[in-house]
Amino acid sequence: MENKELVSRIVTSLDKHKAENIQIIGVTDLTSIADYFVIANGSSSTQVKSLTDYVQDELEQEGGHPPRVEGYASASWVLLDYGSVVVHVFTQEARSFYDLERLWKDGRQLDVQEFLTNEG
């Protein structure tokens, strides 16, 4: 799966399952750790876990490789590392605290609507 298609599948899953404030940041020119960051938040730690479960399940059904997962036990910030695409799902409080959008402000802010598919 190409990077843009992977981002599209992730964003569509998050949107379909009611993630809040989805953002995509292109970081290719800033770091070698990833090409894209997808950032979203859930309304509770339970929703954060559910959102990450949905993303993983849906991508695995499409033949995507399982990601490296960090933070699932605490569920205030869960990171799914798909290599070129890193997904960050936060509670609102954790998202405000860590403020990744500010830390990566030199990245390209991409329009989420361009990545949404007509599924769901």
Side-chain angles (χ1 to χ4, degrees):
M1 195 177 304
E2 279 187 38
N3 290 347
K4 287 186 177 183
E5 183 182 351
L6 180 57
V7 171
S8 180
R9 299 286 187 199
I10 291 165
V11 167
T12 299
S13 177
L14 290 169
D15 182 65
K16 178 172 55 173
H17 297 291
K18 310 291 188 233
E20 299 171 351
N21 195 15
I22 302 168
Q23 301 288 316
I24 306 166
I25 303 174
V27 295
T28 303
D29 298 332
L30 303 176
T31 182
S32 61
I33 61 172
D35 294 330
Y36 297 95
F37 286 162
V38 176
I39 304 169
N41 60 273
S43 58
S44 67
S45 59
T46 301
Q47 188 187 21
V48 167
K49 283 185 173 183
S50 294
L51 290 167
T52 58
D53 288 344
Y54 284 125
V55 168
Q56 289 181 81
D57 291 346
E58 290 172 15
L59 288 178
E60 285 178 21
Q61 288 176 11
E62 296 176 19
H65 66 282
R68 192 179 92 232
V69 179
E70 300 289 335
Y72 190 84
S74 71
S76 64
W77 176 5
V78 179
L79 181 143
L80 303 175
D81 183 352
Y82 284 97
S84 59
V85 180
V86 178
V87 183
H88 304 268
V89 183
F90 294 93
T91 60
Q92 180 58 50
E93 298 79 21
R95 185 172 184 171
S96 295
F97 181 80
Y98 291 105
D99 199 6
L100 292 186
E101 292 91 340
R102 182 186 57 78
L103 291 174
W104 293 95
K105 68 179 184 243
D106 293 336
R108 290 175 301 133
Q109 298 291 323
L110 302 172
D111 183 358
V112 172
Q113 295 302 316
E114 291 180 14
F115 287 86
L116 288 173
T117 64
N118 293 326
E119 297 176 3

